[in-house]
Amino acid sequence: MNAVWMGLPARTWLMATLAGIGTGIVYALSPLTVWFALGMYALIRCAVHDLDHDEQRWVTILFVVAIVLRTLAVAALFVMTNHDQEPFGRFFGDEEFYLRHSIWLRNIAVGLPVHTSDFAFAFDTLGWTSYLYVLAFLQVLVGPAPYGVHLFGIALFLLGTVVLFRTVRPVFGRTPSLMGLVILLFLPSLFVWSISALKEPLYFLATACAIALAVKAARDHRLGIRLIVLAALAVLVVVIGTIRDGGAALAGAGILGGFAAAWIVRRPWAVAALVVLLPIATGLTLRVPRTQIRAYNLVQWAARQHRAFIETPGWVYTLLDQRFYDDAQTITDMRLDEATRYVVRAAERYVTVPLPWEAKSPAAVAYLPEQVTWYVLVALLPVGVLFSLRRDAVLTMILCGVTLVSASAIAMLNGNVGALVRMRVLAIPYITWLSMVGLCELLARAGRDNS
C-alpha cells in the first residue's frame, strides 16, 4: 500500500516532484518554452470560454494540434541546424536580420560589450520596426533566445486567431467560425509565417485587436466606454504603424472605410445617393488640374515600385505595357489608357497569380492546393458578404475595408510572385470568415432544395 503524506499518496508526491524537476530543467535551458506552455493553456481557456461542451471540445482539439505541430516545427529546426557552423537556425533568410539586431539591442541594454560595427548596425534605420525592440526586451528578461523567439511568434499569431474567432463567433455562428478557424490554423502559408521570427505575427495580432476594438466601439452604446475604446483603437493604429511601414495608414483607412460603408449599407437612401452622386463627384474632382496631377503622380510612383519588383530575383509577373519595362523613363508619360490597364491588371493578377499551369518548380507545384483554396475563398467572398451584411453590417464592412485597403496597396506595388504570396496571405484571415458564411449558406440552401 502506498504511503500517504499530508493526505496525498506517495506516488502523487513523486510525480509532482519529477514534474517540478523537469520544469526546472526545461526553464534553465529555455525559459520561453515554459512561459509558452503556460500561455497556451491560458489561450485555449480564453478560446473556449462560454462555448457549449461539444464546441469546446472541437476548438480545444484544433488548438492543441496547431500548437503541437508548430512546436515540432521549431524543434525540428533546432535539431537540423549545425550549430558548429552557425549560431542558430532559421526558416527564412530575413529572420537573421531580426535575430541578430534584437540580440545586439539586448546586449547594449544589459551593458555587455558590443563590437563597434554591431553597435552601428543595431540602430540602423534600414528595415527598422518596433518588433526589434519587442524581441530585444523579451531577451532582456529571459536571455538570448533565438529559438524561443519562434515560440513567441507562435503565441502572437494564435492569440490573434483567438481574438478574431471570439469577435466573429457571436455574429457568424458556430459552423462558419469553426471552418474559418481550421483555415487560419492549418493553411500552409499562414502556418509557416506563424512560426517565423519575423514581424508578421505581431502585425496580425495588432490588426486583429484593432478590428475587435472597432467592433466593440460600434456595438457598445455607453458613451464613456465607447470613448475609451476609440482612444485605445487610435493608440493601437499608431502602434501598427511602427510595426510595418505604412501599417497605420492601411489599418486606419480600412477601419474608417468599414465604418463609413456600414453606415451607408444600413440606409437604403444613402446607397441610392452614393450610386448617383459618386460618379458625379469623382468626375468633378478629377477635372481639377491639381487633383489630376496628384492622382497621376501616385499612379506613376506605384508603377515605379512595381517595376523595381520586376528586377528582383525569383519568379516575377508584369502589369505595365511592355514599353515601360524597356525604358523606365517612359513611365513619366504614361497615358490614361495605359494607367487604366495597369490598375485592371493589378487587380486581376492579385487574385490569379500564380496560375496553376504556370507552376514549374517543385515549390510552385506544392503551392497549388493552397492556390486552389485561395480561388475558392475569393469566389465565395461576394456571397459571404451579402449574407454577412444581414447579420452585422459593421463587422462585415470592417473586415472588407481592412482587406480591400491592404489588397489594393499590394496589388499595385508588387511584381514578384513570392512576395505577392507572402503579402496576400495577410488578407486571408479577414476574408476567410466571410467566405465560410457564404459556403455555409449555399450548402444550407442546397440542402433545403434537395429535401
Side-chain angles (χ1 to χ4, degrees), residues 203 206-207 209-211 213-214 229-244 246-256 259 402:
Y203 183 76
T207 306
C209 290
I211 292 172
L213 287 175
V229 172
L230 288 175
L233 176 59
V235 172
L236 185 55
V237 168
V238 173
V239 171
I240 292 174
T242 69
I243 300 172
R244 182 184 295 279
L250 295 177
I255 291 173
L256 289 176
F259 277 134
V402 171

Side-chain angles (χ1 to χ4, degrees), residues 186-193 365-377 421 424-425 428:
F186 300 108
L187 191 73
S189 290
L190 285 172
F191 181 95
V192 170
W193 290 117
V365 173
Y367 179 73
L368 285 180
E370 182 169 333
Q371 181 70 355
V372 173
T373 302
W374 164 253
Y375 289 153
V376 173
L377 290 175
V421 169
R424 188 173 62 191
V425 76
I428 290 179

Side-chain angles (χ1 to χ4, degrees), residues 70 92 157 164 183-194 196 198 200-201 203-204 244 350 353-354 367 370-371 373-374 377 402-403 406-407 410 414 417-433:
R70 285 165 167 80
F92 306 99
F157 178 84
L164 280 180
I183 293 176
L184 260 66
L185 292 178
F186 300 108
L187 191 73
S189 290
L190 285 172
F191 181 95
V192 170
W193 290 117
S194 70
S196 74
L198 304 177
E200 271 74 14
Y203 183 76
F204 167 62
R244 182 184 295 279
Y350 175 84
V353 170
Y367 179 73
E370 182 169 333
Q371 181 70 355
T373 302
W374 164 253
L377 290 175
V402 171
T403 300
S406 61
I410 295 168
N414 222 307
V417 174
L420 175 65
V421 169
R422 170 182 171 179
M423 300 299 293
R424 188 173 62 191
V425 76
L426 298 178
I428 290 179
Y430 314 118
I431 71 170
T432 292
W433 314 98

Side-chain angles (χ1 to χ4, degrees), residues 341-405:
R341 285 195 294 271
Y342 164 50
V343 173
V344 172
R345 288 173 187 153
E348 176 263 318
R349 290 177 191 178
Y350 175 84
V351 174
T352 60
V353 170
L355 293 169
W357 52 85
E358 293 177 344
K360 297 179 177 62
S361 66
V365 173
Y367 179 73
L368 285 180
E370 182 169 333
Q371 181 70 355
V372 173
T373 302
W374 164 253
Y375 289 153
V376 173
L377 290 175
V378 173
L380 290 170
L381 183 58
V383 180
V385 169
L386 290 176
F387 286 111
S388 298
L389 283 172
R390 300 178 182 179
R391 306 185 185 197
D392 191 318
V394 173
L395 175 58
T396 301
M397 288 294 96
I398 288 176
L399 291 173
C400 289
V402 171
T403 300
L404 182 62
V405 171

Side-chain angles (χ1 to χ4, degrees), residues 37-207:
L38 294 174
M40 292 303 96
Y41 173 78
L43 181 139
I44 293 176
R45 296 279 296 184
C46 291
V48 303
H49 178 65
D50 289 341
L51 302 179
D52 63 65
H53 179 73
D54 188 49
E55 191 174 1
Q56 283 186 0
R57 180 167 57 86
W58 279 108
V59 172
T60 300
I61 291 173
L62 290 175
F63 272 102
V64 168
V65 173
I67 292 167
V68 170
L69 290 177
R70 285 165 167 80
T71 305
L72 289 176
V74 176
L77 176 66
F78 175 81
V79 171
M80 293 188 298
T81 300
N82 185 350
H83 293 93
D84 293 330
Q85 297 182 356
E86 50 187 346
F88 47 76
R90 52 192 178 273
F91 293 109
F92 306 99
D94 292 347
E95 288 178 333
E96 184 171 2
F97 171 86
Y98 287 83
L99 294 172
R100 290 189 181 276
H101 277 67
S102 63
I103 291 175
W104 292 337
L105 291 170
R106 179 259 177 193
N107 291 342
I108 293 170
V110 300
L112 292 178
V114 177
H115 193 277
T116 304
S117 62
D118 293 344
F119 185 92
F121 283 124
F123 296 99
D124 190 358
T125 57
L126 181 63
W128 182 89
T129 169
S130 60
Y131 189 49
L132 293 174
Y133 287 90
V134 173
L135 295 182
F137 178 72
L138 183 69
Q139 294 177 96
V140 166
L141 298 178
V142 302
Y147 294 100
V149 162
H150 292 279
L151 297 179
F152 181 64
I154 293 171
L156 294 177
F157 178 84
L158 294 179
L159 180 56
T161 302
V162 170
V163 169
L164 280 180
F165 174 73
R166 299 294 302 189
T167 301
V168 305
R169 173 62 181 83
V171 177
F172 294 157
R174 171 177 172 172
T175 303
S177 299
L178 282 176
M179 294 171 68
L181 188 61
V182 171
I183 293 176
L184 260 66
L185 292 178
F186 300 108
L187 191 73
S189 290
L190 285 172
F191 181 95
V192 170
W193 290 117
S194 70
I195 62 176
S196 74
L198 304 177
K199 60 190 174 186
E200 271 74 14
L202 180 60
Y203 183 76
F204 167 62
L205 171 60
T207 306

